[in-house]
């Protein structure tokens, strides 16, 4: 059974930094793309950053230059280094991992971790 275990959220002042981690386990097919989404109150969930197994990166425009996504394939772990945080970054952050099998593609989600940025 695939499980994603997130850590690293919390409360930080504006212009501060946080690092999120997500350890994935339970897939005999490994993990293809991994990434982070966020959902603020009253808003839809949005992609923040994603990284393919080959290392291709994708960021939402609002975090470019401030956030960095990385992964350790040996540990099936994805990280999100968040610098120069702004109050508008406040949201629940969800880890996502994609598994590609011979019979389909499946997306798995973590439980979410709260990030709160105070002004």
């Amino acid at each position: 059974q695939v499980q994603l275990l997130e850590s690293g959220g919390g409360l930080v002042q504006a212009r501060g930094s946080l690092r999120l981690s997500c350890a994935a386990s339970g897939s005999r097919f490994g993990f293809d793309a991994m990434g982070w989404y966020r959902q603020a109150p009253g808003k839809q969930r949005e992609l923040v950053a994603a990284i393919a197994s080959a290392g291709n990166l994708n960021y939402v425009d609002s975090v470019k230059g401030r956030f960095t996504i990385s992964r350790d394939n040996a540990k099936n772990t994805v990280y999100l280094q968040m610098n120069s945080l702004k109050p508008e970054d406040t949201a629940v952050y969800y880890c996502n991992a994609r598994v590609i099998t011979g019979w389909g593609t499946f997306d798995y989600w973590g439980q979410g971790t709260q990030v709160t940025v105070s002004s």
Side-chain angles (χ1 to χ4, degrees):
Q1 182 176 355
V2 173
Q3 291 186 324
L4 304 181
L5 183 59
E6 301 160 342
S7 61
L11 173 64
V12 65
Q13 290 187 332
R15 296 178 297 280
S17 297
L18 282 174
R19 188 188 193 217
L20 305 183
S21 299
C22 173
S25 62
S27 169
R28 61 189 178 100
F29 299 96
F31 297 94
D32 189 67
M34 299 181 75
W36 292 92
Y37 288 70
R38 66 186 178 188
Q39 188 166 19
K43 295 188 177 182
Q44 288 188 332
R45 188 175 297 189
E46 66 169 352
L47 173 67
V48 177
I51 181 168
S53 56
N56 308 72
L57 305 177
N58 185 29
Y59 294 96
V60 66
D61 286 346
S62 60
V63 307
K64 287 180 180 177
R66 300 188 298 121
F67 291 10
T68 302
I69 190 169
S70 61
R71 66 188 285 173
D72 183 333
N73 288 331
K75 297 180 179 179
N76 289 326
T77 299
V78 62
Y79 306 96
L80 186 68
Q81 178 66 44
M82 304 185 293
N83 298 329
S84 302
L85 282 160
K86 304 175 180 180
E88 51 263 43
D89 295 317
T90 295
V92 178
Y93 284 69
Y94 297 91
C95 177
N96 170 268
R98 177 160 292 177
V99 176
I100 299 176
T101 72
W103 57 89
T105 298
F106 303 90
D107 281 317
Y108 296 91
W109 296 90
Q111 78 282 1
T113 185
Q114 178 69 47
V115 171
T116 302
V117 184
S118 63
S119 57

